[in-house]
Amino acid sequence: MKIYPSELHEYAYCPRYYFFHVHLGRRLTLREKLRMLLGRLFHWAKGVPDRLKGRHVEEAIEVEVGSGIVLRGRPDSFEVGPESVLVIERKSGRGPRRGVWISDSTQASAYAFMLARLLDARDVKIRVEYASKARSASLDEEKVYRLLKIIDEIILVREYGIVPYAKRSPRRCARCPFREICELLDKEKGDLEIYEPGSWLADTDIDLSFT
Ligand code: SF4
């Protein structure tokens, strides 16, 4: 089973959204397609100076994280030093006022974790670059714990169809293409007490370890 850091990003954003995306799929709207193309342009433009600096740009990497479970992805950019790695994750959005979005932190931590394992690096730094600011942190135990917990839950959601937690927020839900079915699901479920994977992410929107 292959898991991509972009899936971890989506799960941290809203576990229920990830569930719908995996099990229902959907066509992108014109606006989303445009944003995707602009995102590609943005990454391409930023990759040029990185290449000139000798950094690795969008190179495919993968590591096994459990029996038969492989984490695979392409970090935007990374730089390897003696026993150290710097991972750069770029986002075309503005980012939060402090820290970084937990979804961005999780995705970047996945690349950092993979490179730490592949290169046996002890000092692993992560930099998340938004359109107008950059925030940095080290790969620490908390980030690795969160990452592995999300991988476990993604397996439950993908393989067993378990419905995870709906991480509601007015901003997130207002632009969610699955809003109707998500609300209907919770209405039908009523007060039924069931464990929903991802509920521990309820109050986690920002990773303040990035400064
Ligand atoms: S409506 Fe909100 S809670 Fe439901 S899937 Fe969409 S973003 Fe998540």
Side-chain angles (χ1 to χ4, degrees):
M1 179 178 180
K2 292 180 184 60
I3 296 181
Y4 297 90
S6 56
E7 288 182 77
L8 307 180
H9 181 279
E10 206 166 78
Y11 192 89
Y13 173 75
C14 172
R16 181 76 64 83
Y17 180 98
Y18 173 75
F19 170 87
F20 286 134
H21 195 184
V22 166
H23 293 288
L24 302 182
R26 70 187 186 90
R27 293 169 80 109
L28 295 179
T29 62
L30 190 63
R31 192 187 169 87
E32 285 169 325
K33 283 181 189 163
L34 186 65
R35 276 185 58 191
M36 202 173 77
L37 289 173
L38 288 173
R40 280 196 194 150
L41 272 176
F42 171 82
H43 282 93
W44 182 82
K46 295 279 183 181
V48 174
D50 273 350
R51 285 192 174 90
L52 293 174
K53 285 179 191 160
R55 289 177 178 153
H56 302 258
V57 177
E58 296 192 8
E59 278 181 21
I61 51 172
E62 65 173 45
V63 294
E64 192 165 329
V65 285
S67 62
I69 309 209
V70 172
L71 197 52
R72 175 184 284 181
R74 288 175 187 271
D76 287 339
S77 172
F78 65 92
E79 191 175 306
V80 182
E83 296 196 4
S84 70
V85 185
L86 167 68
V87 176
I88 300 171
E89 175 64 17
R90 298 201 166 95
K91 298 291 173 193
S92 52
R94 282 180 301 164
R97 238 179 282 163
R98 293 195 302 146
V100 304
W101 299 121
I102 198 74
S103 48
D104 298 337
S105 163
T106 304
Q107 183 175 8
S109 300
Y111 296 127
F113 173 78
M114 291 158 83
L115 286 165
R117 293 271 293 268
L118 289 170
L119 303 169
D120 200 19
R122 303 213 178 123
D123 177 19
V124 184
K125 298 268 188 308
I126 307 169
R127 190 159 80 222
V128 176
E129 294 184 0
Y130 292 106
S132 57
K133 61 193 162 216
R135 303 261 158 77
S136 301
S138 293
L139 180 69
D140 55 22
E141 274 181 26
E142 198 182 329
K143 292 184 187 65
V144 173
Y145 173 77
R146 186 169 57 226
L147 175 72
L148 297 178
K149 193 169 164 98
I150 290 181
I151 290 174
D152 279 347
E153 294 190 355
I154 274 184
I155 294 167
L156 285 179
V157 171
R158 246 170 72 172
E159 297 295 292
Y160 302 100
I162 307 285
V163 180
Y165 182 71
K167 191 175 166 183
R168 298 195 179 283
S169 88
R171 190 178 62 95
R172 221 178 346 253
C173 299
R175 56 185 186 200
C176 176
F178 304 114
R179 192 174 66 235
E180 256 179 69
I181 190 167
C182 184
E183 284 171 359
L184 198 61
L185 189 63
D186 278 348
K187 206 166 143 197
E188 291 297 316
K189 182 162 66 73
D191 295 333
L192 196 62
E193 284 290 324
I194 45 170
Y195 172 69
E196 295 175 312
S199 49
W200 58 280
L201 286 162
D203 301 319
T204 318
D205 263 337
I206 294 174
D207 184 344
L208 289 171
S209 70
F210 282 79
T211 53

